[in-house]
Amino acid sequence: MNLETEKLFWQAVHFLIVKKHYRILQISKNHQEVWLEKTENKESPIIRLLHTDLDWSNRLKTDIEMVALNGERLRKRLVRGQLNITNIYFVPLPPVDDYEHLLTNPYIPAGKRKIKVTSFIVDEAKRHISLNHLPSVFGKELVFDENLNNDIEIEIHRLRHEAISIAATRAKAEESVFESGKPLLTYFFIIVQVIIFALMELQGGSTQTSTLIQFGAKFNPLIIEGEWWRFLTPMFLHIGFLHLLMNSMALYYLGPLVERIYGNIRFLFIYIFAGFAGVLGSFIFSTNLSAGASGAIFGCFGALLYFGVVFPRLFFRTLGLNILIVLAINLMFGFTVPGIDNAGHIGGLIGGFAAAGILRFPKKRKYGTQILYFVGTAVIVMAMLQYGFSGSASVVDKQSIIILAQDYIQGEEYDKAHKVLSEFHEVEEDSTEILFLLSFTEIKRNNLDDAKDQLHRVIELDPNFHEAHYNLALVYLEENSLENAKTYAENAVKIEPKRDDYQELVENIDAFIQVNQGN
């Protein structure tokens, strides 16, 4: 091998690593072939440099084809759609036969349109001419030392050692970013949510509204009443086995990555705060009862996005594309599929990003930036809480009031049920469902006159409300007004003839009438 050519080769490698921040993908045992990567450089993301002898063009052609084959493997590993490879040969002399046609246009293998290999030859004999044709990534910054002396081997050794050492140091520093903590808390959270799910199943089922409320699901009416812990408890609950399975799998894959980057304590804060932010977002923008770790899991996405903001090169080179694709799919899924609490997802995403900004990374503090994130986050959280609790936001709807009232009724807390129904009735007077439940609480509280008025109003609004006819019949029967009781019981049977209890009530009333007439 020619020492002058080898020096040119290592000067180029040294320049790309030290000045242009390329990373070593692979290097041959004899140090004569180096593959470099810098995905941020769209023009030359992969550069392959080879110090060799090229006697004939056939050898050049075969080698370019091998470069394309290896490039296809790299493309799949890097998960890239299109991959451009810059292929540079450092040779003492060019091939003796016609070879220029191999360099005129990029080589694109047949059937593999996603790989393009652009080749150059740096010819020691015509170095000034060949160097002018190098790709733009080198620019005018690259200066080749032409002062050849007796220490050329020492210079080659220096360039090689320095380039490889710097590349190794940078690679180690990048790896250390992902080694700040072992993923212990991730598995702890998975175990906790599995245990709680099992307890919910034993207590009536994780899909039962009463069970969800009992275990602390996000339920706006109870949050308004002061049960603030419901901003935290929903992240440990799940509605059905599939919900648990999907969130546990997502946490299993995302959690360890975030925990390794930020460390255990920071991960704990990010996860809990993102879960809180998700519930807060859902509280403001959704009146539905909800539960699940989705907000906290989206917070992991948010923390990874913050990592991408601080370390964009490392982010996009390692996990950025995959993370962005998965996040986009999840957000689109949330916007298009009914019943998904997307407000909670987005709240968790923003919360995770903010929490990461407040804490930053181990040994990489920036107190000024962290204080700004803390103050900004605190202001937003306080403003949202004020907005939610002030009554300005529509955080409670009819359906949630009905669910709460039914839960109170099931627990025989009729005064509480009456209170929430009465307050909502003042806002929405003509709701048949609210009036019907309110009449039921009046019956249980022995206020039969109020119950009658409310049931009559229900029937006036909806003549086919058969339960109202039935209950009104029971009220009249309680007052011993048998004719009225019979009239409304028969109405209930006409509307819903398949109900045995309605038919049985008519028969009982007829029996009472006959007994009274006999007396």
Side-chain angles (χ1 to χ4, degrees), residues 56-333:
W56 300 95
S57 60
N58 279 343
R59 183 180 173 189
L60 175 61
K61 179 176 181 295
T62 301
D63 188 78
I64 292 174
E65 292 172 352
M66 291 298 296
V67 170
L69 185 63
N70 192 33
E72 176 63 17
R73 288 193 289 266
L74 282 174
R75 187 189 69 80
K76 291 179 180 178
R77 194 181 84 188
L78 297 172
V79 195
R80 292 177 66 94
Q82 179 77 29
L83 185 60
N84 299 327
I85 300 174
T86 301
N87 180 35
I88 307 173
Y89 298 93
F90 290 82
V91 299
L93 294 169
V96 297
D97 56 348
D98 181 25
Y99 70 90
E100 286 82 359
H101 65 284
L102 297 174
L103 309 180
T104 303
N105 296 310
Y107 172 70
I108 300 175
K112 299 185 183 298
R113 298 287 179 180
K114 295 182 178 181
I115 289 290
K116 183 172 71 172
V117 181
T118 305
S119 299
F120 302 87
I121 289 181
V122 176
D123 173 4
E124 171 61 26
K126 300 177 181 178
R127 69 156 66 188
H128 295 291
I129 297 174
S130 56
L131 289 176
N132 290 334
H133 292 87
L134 282 177
S136 60
V137 66
F138 289 94
K140 295 181 179 180
E141 301 173 64
L142 176 60
V143 177
F144 287 101
D145 181 10
E146 300 185 32
N147 182 23
L148 304 179
N149 52 49
N150 294 332
D151 294 329
I152 188 169
E153 291 189 23
I154 296 176
E155 179 64 9
I156 290 171
H157 175 78
R158 183 192 70 81
L159 290 167
R160 181 173 63 236
H161 177 75
E162 189 172 302
I164 293 174
S165 297
I166 289 174
T169 301
R170 287 176 183 164
K172 187 175 180 180
E174 289 181 351
E175 289 175 4
S176 68
V177 173
F178 298 96
E179 297 174 353
S180 297
K182 294 182 180 179
L184 302 176
L185 290 173
T186 295
Y187 305 130
F188 172 75
F189 284 132
I190 292 174
I191 292 171
V192 168
Q193 61 193 34
V194 169
I195 291 173
I196 293 177
F197 180 82
L199 292 174
M200 291 173 67
E201 289 296 314
L202 293 173
Q203 291 294 320
S206 62
T207 59
Q208 293 296 317
T209 299
S210 57
T211 305
L212 286 165
I213 292 175
Q214 176 188 351
F215 275 78
K218 188 225 81 172
F219 192 49
N220 288 3
L222 291 179
I223 293 177
I224 292 293
E225 288 187 6
E227 296 187 6
W228 55 266
W229 57 86
R230 292 182 185 271
F231 281 117
L232 297 173
T233 51
M235 73 180 76
F236 302 106
L237 312 179
H238 290 86
I239 305 173
F241 178 74
L242 182 61
H243 191 207
L244 172 70
L245 179 64
M246 296 299 291
N247 276 350
S248 296
M249 288 178 61
L251 181 56
Y252 178 80
Y253 286 107
L254 274 177
L257 182 58
V258 177
E259 198 165 355
R260 286 191 178 101
I261 292 173
Y262 289 91
N264 304 114
I265 301 302
R266 286 174 171 80
F267 172 75
L268 176 64
F269 179 79
I270 289 169
Y271 191 81
I272 297 297
F273 183 78
F276 162 77
V279 177
L280 179 58
S282 178
F283 171 68
I284 297 295
F285 297 105
S286 173
T287 57
N288 296 333
L289 181 144
S290 63
S294 301
I297 292 168
F298 268 81
C300 292
F301 279 115
L304 293 174
L305 290 181
Y306 181 80
F307 170 74
V309 170
V310 178
F311 301 107
R313 293 179 179 178
L314 183 58
F315 176 75
F316 283 102
R317 185 172 61 83
T318 54
L319 48 90
L321 182 62
N322 291 334
I323 291 296
L324 292 176
I325 290 174
V326 173
L327 177 58
I329 291 172
N330 276 275
L331 288 174
M332 290 174 60
F333 191 73

Side-chain angles (χ1 to χ4, degrees), residues 324-397:
L324 292 176
I325 290 174
V326 173
L327 177 58
I329 291 172
N330 276 275
L331 288 174
M332 290 174 60
F333 191 73
F335 280 116
T336 55
V337 177
I340 293 180
D341 190 357
N342 222 33
H345 292 176
I346 295 173
L349 179 69
I350 296 172
F353 186 92
I358 292 170
L359 299 176
R360 280 187 67 83
F361 308 95
K363 301 178 182 179
K364 297 183 184 297
R365 298 182 180 88
K366 283 190 177 181
Y367 291 114
T369 303
Q370 290 174 255
I371 290 171
L372 286 175
Y373 268 94
F374 176 79
V375 172
T377 301
V379 168
I380 292 172
V381 168
M382 294 303 295
M384 292 183 69
L385 288 172
Q386 175 64 26
Y387 179 67
F389 281 95
S390 67
S392 301
S394 300
V395 297
V396 176
D397 65 354

Side-chain angles (χ1 to χ4, degrees), residues 20 36 39 51 80 104 176 201 208 211 222 256 274 354 358 428 443-444 472 493:
K20 294 295 184 178
L36 301 175
T39 52
H51 175 219
R80 292 177 66 94
T104 303
S176 68
E201 289 296 314
Q208 293 296 317
T211 305
L222 291 179
I358 292 170
E428 189 172 336
I443 292 172
K444 290 297 183 179
L472 195 53
V493 172

